[in-house]
Amino acid sequence: MTTTAHTTTSAQARAVTDDPLASDGTDLVEAAIEAFAGATPMAYIDETHAAAAAARLAQALVVQPPRLARRSARLSAELTKVALGSSKLGPEPGDKRFADEAWTKNPFFKRLGQSYLA
């Protein structure tokens, strides 16, 4: 009878211990969070670019306060109508984002969609 010796390289051992499925589950959760965060588009926004965009937005708002006031008043009025259930806003025919009937039959989703469209 012959016995076969099994040798494991350090790379193979590391691959086994790095496998999130081989652990008690905590590594799996961390791997899932890491994978999700990596798929998020916001993860690639540089703080410098975000700050510059916010500064340009603030400057545009300061330069055109009457326009901002008019648009804010219209938005507030429409959101009030949405909250009261009297808004007539709805998606354009064929808008696939609102194809599910829940957007029209469920009062919560209807108001959520109207708020988005406002």
Side-chain angles (χ1 to χ4, degrees):
M1 174 177 221
T2 58
T3 59
T4 307
H6 181 61
T7 59
T8 304
T9 66
S10 61
Q12 289 171 328
R14 194 169 45 254
V16 170
T17 57
D18 289 345
D19 181 9
L21 296 174
S23 70
D24 63 353
T26 57
D27 291 337
L28 181 60
V29 172
E30 289 174 10
I33 291 170
E34 201 171 295
F36 178 75
T40 306
M42 296 298 288
Y44 300 107
I45 293 180
D46 182 6
E47 292 88 10
T48 306
H49 291 106
R56 286 193 307 270
L57 175 64
Q59 180 182 11
L61 295 177
V62 169
V63 172
Q64 301 178 0
R67 185 176 182 189
L68 173 63
R70 281 191 310 273
R71 288 190 174 193
S72 296
R74 272 187 269 159
L75 177 62
S76 296
E78 191 60 41
L79 290 176
T80 300
K81 288 179 189 177
V82 168
L84 296 174
S86 63
S87 176
K88 302 295 183 207
L89 276 179
E92 295 290 325
D95 189 342
K96 293 181 181 181
R97 297 174 299 171
F98 300 98
D100 193 293
E101 66 180 20
W103 290 109
T104 55
K105 296 196 182 215
N106 183 312
F108 173 76
F109 284 116
K110 182 177 182 179
R111 285 182 172 90
L112 182 64
Q114 288 175 324
S115 298
Y116 173 76
L117 293 170

